[in-house]
């Protein structure tokens, strides 16, 4: 028994055999915000073989209150979260292979990763991506663990393909609206509780203790001392297009056009080209300096306009901060980059 993982191995459900299984597994964490930070750190400390971390965003000052992997320097440098997380995680455990991907979580980007993963941790901030993960989970038969939190509320649920009802069975369709961290705020204990449940379920899967998995949808409000669970077994539908007898994976369908969306809880529009586009930042910097102050690092370039901030990532995605108007954002995109 090595000293590093000795206390984990002394826990009987893990033991020496379980630790060997953990050391052979690959976990995909989608999202490197509050939940992603907590989950990634716990998994790396537990000694998994490989961690793949996917995130499209960069570190901002408002993240530091609850996103435990990041520093003020990361926020000052506008470092992509996946990169900043990898830098910190490598200092925690050099035995773990860490893959950091600065990109949008979309089917085309995730399929090859998921095929080699043993479990998927949902650390996203929107249900569009969660329903994509749900379909990919069933297409490639990889378990995934849903998690969300806002204010002092949190929720989590473990999906095992061919065994449990899927997220589509339970929610039927992508929810619209609802509270966000920007409108309702969030306290870090809510994050830590959800992450603790997610990581515990992940460890059960990694050591193959399927009997110990919790087959309930769990919610809590830590401030108001509320906790609830409901059993989901009867919610599984044979007609479900994601996990039923005729699986069509509806949330993997992709239309070949420019994609625009308002980011959850933020006055920001994301624009994603239909195909990956690698910008020449040197040329782009010269062009955009005529429009406003330009800052850049190896991963992104930002231009401060009079009322909006334009952020371009290496993979072609653009954040337009300061507006929720998709049509306006599209016109600004074409004017500056078209």
């Amino acid at each position: 028994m090595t000293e590093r993982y000795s206390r984990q191995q002394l826990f009987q459900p893990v033991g020496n055999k379980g630790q060997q299984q953990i050391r052979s597994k690959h976990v995909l964490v989608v999202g490197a915000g509050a939940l992603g930070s907590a989950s990634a750190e716990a998994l790396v400390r537990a000694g998994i073989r490989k961690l793949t971390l996917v995130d499209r965003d960069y570190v901002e000052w408002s993240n530091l209150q609850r996103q435990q992997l990041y520093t003020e320097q990361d926020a000052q440098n506008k470092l992509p979260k996946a990169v900043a997380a990898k830098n910190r995680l490598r200092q925690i455990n050099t035995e773990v292979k860490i893959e950091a991907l600065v990109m949008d979580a979309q089917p085309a980007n995730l399929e090859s990763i998921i095929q080699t993963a043993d479990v998927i941790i949902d650390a996203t901030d929107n249900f569009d991506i969660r329903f994509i993960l749900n379909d990919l989970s069933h297409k490639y038969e990889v378990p995934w663990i849903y998690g969300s939190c806002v204010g002092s509320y949190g929720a989590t649920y473990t999906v095992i393909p061919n065994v449990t009802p899927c997220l589509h069975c339970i929610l039927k369709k992508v929810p619209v609206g609802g509270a966000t961290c920007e409108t309702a705020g969030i306290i870090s204990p809510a994050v830590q509780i959800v992450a603790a449940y997610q990581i515990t379920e992940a460890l059960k899967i990694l050591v193959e203790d399927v009997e110990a998995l919790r087959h309930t949808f769990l919610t809590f409000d830590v401030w108001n001392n509320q906790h609830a669970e409901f059993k989901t077994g009867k919610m599984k539908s044979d007609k479900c297009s994601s996990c039923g007898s005729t699986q069509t994976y509806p949330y993997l369908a992709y239309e070949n056009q420019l994609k625009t969306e308002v980011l959850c809880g933020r006055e920001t529009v994301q624009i994603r080209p239909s195909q990956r586009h690698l910008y020449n930042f040197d040329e782009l910097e010269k062009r955009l300096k005529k429009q406003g102050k330009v800052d850049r690092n190896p991963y992104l370039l930002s231009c401060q306009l009079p009322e909006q901030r334009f952020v371009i990532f290496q993979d072609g995605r653009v954040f337009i901060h300061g507006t929720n108007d998709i049509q306006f954002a599209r016109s600004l995109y074409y004017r500056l980059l078209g």
Side-chain angles (χ1 to χ4, degrees):
M1 180 168 62
T2 62
E3 181 65 24
R4 178 167 203 146
Y5 308 111
S6 60
R7 302 305 185 267
Q8 184 164 274
Q9 289 172 257
L10 286 170
F11 179 60
Q12 189 274 329
V14 175
N16 293 337
K17 180 181 177 181
Q19 188 61 45
Q20 291 173 2
Q21 290 172 312
I22 290 170
R23 291 290 296 133
S24 69
K25 301 296 175 65
H26 172 204
V27 180
L28 167 62
V29 176
V30 183
L35 287 177
S37 292
S39 296
E41 180 173 336
L43 288 164
V44 165
R45 289 187 184 278
I48 61 172
R49 176 181 62 84
K50 179 180 178 181
L51 171 74
T52 298
L53 194 57
V54 173
D55 192 274
R56 65 187 179 184
D57 210 346
Y58 56 91
V59 182
E60 299 183 275
W61 287 95
S62 63
N63 301 149
L64 302 182
Q65 164 255 347
R66 65 198 180 282
Q67 299 182 17
Q68 66 192 49
L69 289 178
Y70 308 126
T71 66
E72 292 183 352
Q73 192 65 49
D74 295 328
Q76 289 171 353
N77 294 339
K78 295 183 176 65
L79 205 60
K81 290 181 181 179
V83 175
K86 180 178 180 178
N87 292 344
R88 173 60 179 147
L89 293 169
R90 288 170 69 181
Q91 295 176 324
I92 292 172
N93 193 342
T94 56
E95 296 178 355
V96 178
K97 181 180 180 181
I98 300 169
E99 181 180 31
L101 301 174
V102 184
M103 67 182 191
D104 211 13
Q106 294 298 318
N109 296 335
L110 294 175
E111 290 210 45
S112 62
I113 304 169
I114 284 176
Q115 291 179 59
T116 66
D118 295 288
V119 64
I120 306 161
I121 303 290
D122 162 37
T124 66
D125 60 4
N126 70 85
F127 277 95
D128 292 296
I129 297 176
R130 290 180 181 124
F131 273 70
I132 288 172
L133 292 179
N134 187 68
D135 276 6
L136 287 171
S137 162
H138 287 83
K139 183 176 180 179
Y140 295 106
E141 299 187 353
V142 179
W144 78 284
I145 305 167
Y146 159 77
S148 65
C149 48
V150 65
S152 58
Y153 168 89
T156 181
Y157 176 62
T158 303
V159 179
I160 308 296
N162 304 317
V163 177
T164 67
C166 75
L167 193 67
H168 196 182
C169 289
I170 294 172
L171 298 182
K172 308 304 181 187
K173 61 181 180 179
V174 176
V176 178
T180 67
C181 294
E182 186 160 296
T183 60
I186 188 168
I187 57 173
S188 60
V191 174
Q192 297 302 323
I193 293 171
V194 173
Y197 276 113
Q198 286 186 292
I199 292 304
T200 303
E201 292 289 279
L203 288 173
K204 294 173 187 177
I205 293 169
L206 296 178
V207 302
E208 301 175 11
D209 188 2
V210 295
E211 296 298 321
L213 288 169
R214 189 194 70 251
H215 296 295
T216 61
F217 194 105
L218 182 149
T219 66
F220 65 84
D221 186 330
V222 66
W223 194 271
N224 294 303
N225 307 307
Q226 297 172 351
H227 179 281
E229 295 181 65
F230 64 86
K231 295 181 179 179
T232 61
K234 294 183 179 180
M235 302 180 74
K236 187 169 178 57
S237 172
D238 187 58
K239 297 180 180 179
C240 177
S241 55
S242 295
C243 73
S245 58
T246 305
Q247 299 175 3
T248 60
Y249 311 118
Y251 296 97
L252 302 186
Y254 183 88
E255 298 162 1
N256 190 27
Q257 60 183 21
L258 188 73
K259 297 288 183 180
T260 55
E261 62 177 316
V262 178
L263 297 187
C264 178
R266 299 165 64 181
E267 194 180 15
T268 301
V269 174
Q270 175 181 253
I271 297 179
R272 174 167 46 86
S274 57
Q275 297 182 1
R276 181 181 174 88
H277 182 89
L278 296 178
Y279 286 107
N280 183 317
F281 274 11
D282 292 333
E283 294 180 1
L284 199 57
E285 181 176 6
K286 292 178 183 178
R287 189 199 316 178
L288 291 180
K289 275 185 175 179
K290 300 175 183 179
Q291 306 293 332
K293 183 178 182 297
V294 174
D295 293 305
R296 61 182 282 191
N297 61 39
Y299 311 98
L300 58 87
L301 181 149
S302 68
C303 177
Q304 183 62 57
L305 305 174
E307 296 184 5
Q308 286 79 36
R309 183 156 53 92
F310 207 74
V311 180
I312 304 103
F313 292 84
Q314 275 286 7
D315 64 0
R317 288 177 301 113
V318 174
F319 284 0
I320 301 176
H321 297 284
T323 183
N324 285 331
D325 187 331
I326 287 178
Q327 290 302 116
F328 170 76
R330 287 169 68 102
S331 65
L332 186 61
Y333 172 88
Y334 284 120
R335 179 165 66 85
L336 296 181
L337 297 180

